[in-house]
Amino acid sequence: MRRLGSTRRAGRGDRLVAAGVAGAAVLAVLTVPAAEARPLGRPPGQGDTGPASGSRTGVAQPDARALDADRWTAGRTGPGRGHPHWAVKDTGTPQIRFRGLAAVDRHTAWLAGTDGTVLRTTDGGASWRNVSPPGAAGLEFRDVTAFGARRAVVLAVGEGEASRVYRTDDGGSTWTESFRNTEPKAFYDCLAFFDGRHGLAVSDPVDGRFRILSTADGGRSWRVLPAGGMPPALEGEAGFAASGQCLVTSGPRDVWLATGGGAHARVLHSADRGRTWTAAVAPVPAADPAEGVFALAFRDRTHGIAVGGDYRPGRPSPVAAAVTADGGRTWRPATTAPPAYRSGAAWLAHSRTAALAVGPTGTDLTTDAGRSWRTVDTGSYDTVTCAPDHSCWAAGEQGRVARLER
């Protein structure tokens, strides 16, 4: 991610490394084998415990198996058929950390991770194809948007020319590098699309303002938008490339940007595809380079949730979640927040009240639209996304990927 925990320039590399440090502190609890999983919400001692930006674009249609909040609650009583749980899928890449995740449906998903790695499954995670772009081994892929089994766009993050965008139209058999950053002060964090053609990528501030990259042809070409519509950045303010969810969209024109590292955590909103922005303070931990809002999720252009905190292992993250009901103009803290830092969030498909948040120390569930959260799993994940067919996927360190089963 963009320099987790450092000064504006010197520590960017530290932030890229720090996420791995945060997860390493909880490796002792990552004990679920790849072929096993425990029901979400099973109390400790009853079985093993274990560890979008992805894309918010999917092609599958809803089915009759919508996840009901009561079924998640039922899982707390112990294992049983129909109780949701994370089923870990073996990617065969234990050395890779996946922070980019795009779920098309329960069969098809894309992963983007360290060492320039991109994987794709079309059989629900039973097998994974390495479709990494040639020559990308030294890059840090942190975000991916997928438009189906064949078309995807991935973002590599880093300082200067390390920030790049690649796209494929043939399932990763071939890739085109469609953008390479030439501004030494820019560091791109996240990518998001409104539809199949229009999308944005965001860089940490350049000359005092966040930099927005725009495409109108599905990622084939990109241009930097004028900076005049962006409010000044706070001192030390930046985005976090922790889960591909520091930049999210809803509908054809609305987009939100999560920040941290400044005196206040903020959420910036644009209603015109990134041309003009307004900023609102989010009541989550801030005033430190390691603190802020790490992920956003909006179920429509009005209702959203924000999660984050302090990514450093063992550091408290009080009230590290917030909600909005007015499109991000105002935010209020969760009455019961996740117990620790969370880096990813996703609404369950077609639900007005249920959402997930994930981080190195667990998965949390809300059934009241983000006002209160409870931990339902203690495994380590960095990002989570749910597709329109009600499937949900999560990904993180040690090549770890899981699909929600019930």
Side-chain angles (χ1 to χ4, degrees), residues 227-261:
M230 176 68 68
L234 304 176
E235 172 140 6
E237 190 176 25
F240 295 98
S243 59
Q245 295 171 330
C246 69
L247 187 74
V248 301
T249 63
S250 181
R253 307 187 71 81
D254 286 276
V255 58
W256 294 265
L257 164 62
T259 80

Side-chain angles (χ1 to χ4, degrees), residues 8-107:
R8 175 71 175 89
R9 294 280 297 170
R12 290 194 180 196
D14 294 341
R15 290 187 74 174
L16 282 167
V17 173
V21 176
V26 296
L27 289 184
V29 301
L30 309 185
T31 57
V32 175
E36 300 179 11
R38 72 175 178 86
L40 285 164
R42 182 185 299 175
Q46 294 186 14
D48 293 318
T49 58
S53 143
S55 168
R56 271 68 61 186
T57 303
V59 296
Q61 296 301 312
D63 60 27
R65 297 172 297 166
L67 287 175
D68 185 283
D70 290 339
R71 296 178 67 191
W72 288 77
T73 305
R76 294 178 64 84
T77 63
R81 186 172 182 177
H83 293 155
H85 62 275
W86 285 129
V88 179
K89 309 296 181 179
D90 184 9
T91 63
T93 57
Q95 76 282 11
I96 304 301
R97 187 165 197 159
F98 293 110
R99 293 187 179 277
L101 168 64
V104 177
D105 54 37
R106 72 184 318 271
H107 303 291

Side-chain angles (χ1 to χ4, degrees), residues 183-206:
E183 168 53 64
K185 294 181 287 186
F187 187 112
Y188 284 85
D189 297 303
C190 292
L191 176 81
F193 275 76
F194 302 93
D195 52 42
R197 296 178 54 206
H198 300 91
L200 302 175
V202 61
S203 163
D204 289 336
V206 174

Side-chain angles (χ1 to χ4, degrees), residues 7-406:
T7 57
R8 175 71 175 89
R9 294 280 297 170
R12 290 194 180 196
D14 294 341
R15 290 187 74 174
L16 282 167
V17 173
V21 176
V26 296
L27 289 184
V29 301
L30 309 185
T31 57
V32 175
E36 300 179 11
R38 72 175 178 86
L40 285 164
R42 182 185 299 175
Q46 294 186 14
D48 293 318
T49 58
S53 143
S55 168
R56 271 68 61 186
T57 303
V59 296
Q61 296 301 312
D63 60 27
R65 297 172 297 166
L67 287 175
D68 185 283
D70 290 339
R71 296 178 67 191
W72 288 77
T73 305
R76 294 178 64 84
T77 63
R81 186 172 182 177
H83 293 155
H85 62 275
W86 285 129
V88 179
K89 309 296 181 179
D90 184 9
T91 63
T93 57
Q95 76 282 11
I96 304 301
R97 187 165 197 159
F98 293 110
R99 293 187 179 277
L101 168 64
V104 177
D105 54 37
R106 72 184 318 271
H107 303 291
T108 301
W110 296 69
L111 299 168
T114 53
D115 294 337
T117 304
V118 179
L119 303 184
R120 185 192 64 148
T121 183
T122 55
D123 57 11
S127 64
W128 296 85
R129 179 185 172 198
N130 188 330
V131 295
S132 306
L139 299 178
E140 289 273 346
F141 287 129
R142 296 295 183 93
D143 204 352
V144 54
T145 293
F147 303 94
R150 298 185 61 79
R151 187 157 75 95
V153 180
V154 296
L155 173 70
V157 309
E159 206 162 34
E161 292 193 3
S163 286
R164 306 179 193 181
V165 177
Y166 293 80
R167 71 182 306 275
T168 181
D169 289 310
D170 55 15
S173 295
T174 61
W175 292 87
T176 300
E177 182 184 308
S178 59
F179 172 77
R180 182 179 297 202
N181 174 49
T182 58
E183 168 53 64
K185 294 181 287 186
F187 187 112
Y188 284 85
D189 297 303
C190 292
L191 176 81
F193 275 76
F194 302 93
D195 52 42
R197 296 178 54 206
H198 300 91
L200 302 175
V202 61
S203 163
D204 289 336
V206 174
D207 298 328
R209 298 175 191 269
F210 284 93
R211 173 168 286 206
I212 302 297
L213 194 66
S214 175
T215 181
D217 55 13
R220 292 179 178 84
S221 63
W222 298 83
R223 68 185 182 95
V224 175
L225 295 181
M230 176 68 68
L234 304 176
E235 172 140 6
E237 190 176 25
F240 295 98
S243 59
Q245 295 171 330
C246 69
L247 187 74
V248 301
T249 63
S250 181
R253 307 187 71 81
D254 286 276
V255 58
W256 294 265
L257 164 62
T259 80
H264 307 284
R266 299 199 297 176
V267 177
L268 283 64
H269 171 240
S270 171
D272 55 11
R273 289 185 183 156
R275 291 175 177 80
T276 60
W277 298 77
T278 57
V281 173
V284 303
D288 186 282
E291 298 176 343
V293 177
F294 282 70
L296 298 167
F298 276 77
R299 65 172 170 82
D300 53 39
R301 67 187 306 267
T302 302
H303 299 88
I305 54 179
V307 299
D310 188 325
Y311 76 84
R312 292 170 293 191
R315 297 293 291 264
S317 293
V319 197
V323 297
T324 181
D326 58 11
R329 288 191 294 275
T330 61
W331 294 83
R332 63 183 185 278
T335 55
T336 304
Y341 155 72
R342 294 296 181 251
S343 56
W347 291 89
L348 275 64
H350 315 296
S351 173
R352 298 175 60 84
T353 58
L356 296 171
V358 299
T361 62
T363 299
D364 301 292
L365 169 71
T366 178
T367 55
D368 57 10
R371 290 186 291 276
S372 64
W373 298 81
R374 68 174 182 269
T375 302
V376 292
D377 187 83
T378 57
S380 175
Y381 295 101
D382 294 315
T383 187
V384 60
T385 188
C386 296
D389 69 345
H390 306 288
S391 62
C392 294
W393 296 74
E397 60 191 330
Q398 296 189 331
R400 196 170 174 79
V401 180
R403 190 183 67 183
L404 188 67
E405 305 288 357
R406 53 194 180 277

